[in-house]
């Protein structure tokens, strides 16, 4: 399996509407170029002071309805475009901040250096429990975002069966970029 790291692109000056940019990404035969386009879109969302994945989610839904991308690819884009909400909330959400602060305290108490992490199966029980709480809160934020942007079906799918949602996200990634493609999402 090949692992390809993509470098962070410069912010885009592309002024096309989200639907046009996503369609170009989906139709792009050059996989590296398609990945760079996606990374640029994600970077722009992550760098925003008030990230709004709504237009991107609507564009992905439209492309799915037009049969340009599969429904699995819609799930993939929903995952990619809502991640910016978690990045934003990790700073702004008091509950995520509290949990992260407690996790940091445990890491310090166990002597982990800054940036060092445990493999999940080796983490202390109290840290793993906090990690589960952090993930549950992050999932709530994503589900709320999906509902707020009018994608109740995706919110329900994620909320009711995260394992199946993740399976569809992975299938969508493979449909767009191939089975061998792995990159930092």
């Amino acid at each position: 399996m090949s692992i390809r790291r993509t470098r962070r692109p410069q912010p885009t000056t592309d002024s096309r509407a989200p639907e046009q940019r996503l369609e170009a990404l989906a139709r792009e035969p050059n996989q590296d170029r398609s990945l760079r386009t996606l990374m640029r879109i994600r970077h722009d969302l992550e760098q925003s002071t008030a990230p709004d994945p709504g237009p991107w989610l609507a564009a992905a839904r439209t492309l799915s309805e037009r049969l340009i991308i599969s429904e699995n690819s819609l799930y993939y884009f929903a995952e990619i475009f809502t991640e910016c909400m978690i990045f934003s909330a990790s700073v702004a959400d008091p509950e995520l901040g509290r949990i992260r602060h407690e996790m940091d305290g445990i890491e310090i108490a166990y002597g982990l250096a800054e940036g060092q992490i445990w493999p999940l199966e080796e983490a202390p029980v109290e840290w793993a429990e906090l990690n589960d709480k952090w993930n549950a809160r992050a999932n709530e934020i994503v589900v709320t975002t999906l509902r707020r942007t009018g994608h109740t079906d995706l919110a329900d799918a994620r909320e009711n069966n995260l394992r199946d949602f993740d399976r569809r996200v992975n299938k969508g990634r493979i449909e767009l970029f191939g089975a061998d493609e792995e990159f930092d999402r």
Side-chain angles (χ1 to χ4, degrees):
M1 176 184 302
S2 69
I3 297 178
R4 182 176 303 160
R5 301 268 183 224
T6 56
R7 62 182 171 77
R8 287 256 179 210
Q10 293 298 316
T12 187
T13 57
D14 192 336
S15 60
R16 291 179 294 173
E19 184 179 335
Q20 293 169 319
R21 288 177 67 192
L22 278 186
E23 184 171 348
L25 179 156
R27 293 185 186 276
E28 175 58 56
N30 182 315
Q31 189 176 52
D32 287 338
R33 189 172 184 175
S34 184
L35 284 169
R36 282 194 309 272
T37 300
L38 179 59
M39 292 301 105
R40 196 169 285 118
I41 292 167
R42 284 189 55 203
H43 182 265
D44 291 349
L45 276 169
E46 291 168 8
Q47 298 305 308
S48 172
T49 55
D52 181 13
W56 295 100
L57 293 167
R61 171 137 350 243
T62 298
L63 293 180
S64 175
E65 290 168 353
R66 290 177 49 209
L67 304 178
I68 292 170
I69 63 171
S70 70
E71 190 173 11
N72 291 326
S73 295
L74 169 62
Y75 276 64
Y76 174 74
F77 283 132
E79 181 73 8
I80 290 294
F81 297 145
T82 56
E83 281 181 349
C84 67
M85 300 309 294
I86 296 171
F87 294 132
S88 174
S90 67
V91 175
D93 185 77
E95 182 65 7
L96 284 181
R98 181 193 64 75
I99 294 168
R100 182 71 249 166
H101 180 73
E102 289 183 34
M103 292 171 78
D104 290 345
I106 294 168
E107 291 168 2
I108 290 167
Y110 277 83
L112 260 64
E114 188 171 334
Q116 187 180 8
I117 59 170
W118 284 291
L120 197 51
E121 63 277 356
E122 295 176 19
V125 172
E126 62 271 24
W127 187 93
E129 289 171 353
L130 287 168
N131 187 61
D132 289 344
K133 288 179 182 179
W134 196 96
N135 287 335
R137 177 64 186 137
N139 191 53
E140 287 175 21
I141 291 167
V142 169
V143 167
T144 298
T145 299
L146 289 168
R147 288 190 199 294
R148 178 181 51 79
T149 57
H151 302 281
T152 304
D153 60 328
L154 295 173
D156 289 345
R158 184 179 173 99
E159 187 173 48
N160 297 328
N161 192 341
L162 185 57
R163 173 180 248 146
D164 186 58
F165 186 90
D166 287 343
R167 180 188 61 77
R168 295 196 66 184
V169 166
N170 190 51
K171 283 182 77 171
R173 179 190 55 79
I174 290 168
E175 290 168 5
L176 286 166
F177 300 111
D180 290 339
E181 190 59 44
E182 287 190 27
F183 57 95
D184 296 327
R185 290 189 307 129

